Amino acid sequence: MRTALHLTTAAWALLSITTAQAQDVAAGKAAFAQCAACHSIDGTNGAGPSLQGVDGRKVGSFPGFRYSRAMKATAYNWDAAKLEAYIANPQAAIPGNVMPFSGLPDAKQRADLVAYLQSLK
Ligand code: HEC
């Protein structure tokens, strides 16, 4: 009886974590409206490079996009922490990059946006 109760609690905890993540992605998708004028998620470059599969790829490496020198010279790969820092303050994260976006001050919105960006495969 006791074991069954524990299992149920664990199952509930797991379920609520999964739901929370899904909510973050949905909220991030809404926040992405601020980025969509310049960034596609389908592999087409616009004013900015496509963000399809951005998580894990090297900074400034999407085929066919003309990046700034600063962006091309950045040697790391995008991950949650790097994306979060860049979205918070693009010029502080990669000085000299030319993205015309001053940064997203809301930490919750940034976290949601990163969850959404990581969901783009
Ligand atoms: C007005 C156009 C514009 C808007 C709005 C914009 N970006 Fe960008 N973004 C760019 C440009 C241009 C670059 C390339 C900068 C460079 O080469 O220095 C870029 C680069 C990036 C990169 C690096 C991609 C790579 O291939 O390494 C990420 C990540 C990114 N933007 C995320 C975002 C997010 C998230 C938002 C919304 C919160 C956003 N951008 C809003 C124009 C924009």
Side-chain angles (χ1 to χ4, degrees), residues 22-118:
Q23 280 167 351
D24 291 350
V25 171
K29 189 175 182 176
F32 190 74
Q34 302 169 76
C35 325
C38 301
H39 293 289
S40 89
I41 58 166
D42 68 357
T44 347
N45 291 317
S50 177
L51 296 182
Q52 181 185 58
V54 68
D55 186 37
R57 85 186 187 210
K58 191 203 158 282
V59 175
S61 69
F62 198 78
F65 187 80
R66 286 179 58 98
Y67 289 94
S68 65
R69 277 164 181 271
M71 202 116 226
K72 280 190 290 196
T74 303
Y76 55 75
N77 290 20
W78 290 117
D79 62 17
K82 299 291 188 192
L83 284 167
E84 177 358 84
Y86 183 62
I87 297 166
N89 189 337
Q91 281 308 320
I94 304 180
N97 92 91
V98 298
M99 176 158 99
F101 185 80
S102 58
L104 199 61
D106 186 313
K108 167 76 172 118
Q109 243 184 48
R110 287 200 305 271
D112 291 343
L113 202 44
V114 169
Y116 174 65
L117 291 175
Q118 290 193 298

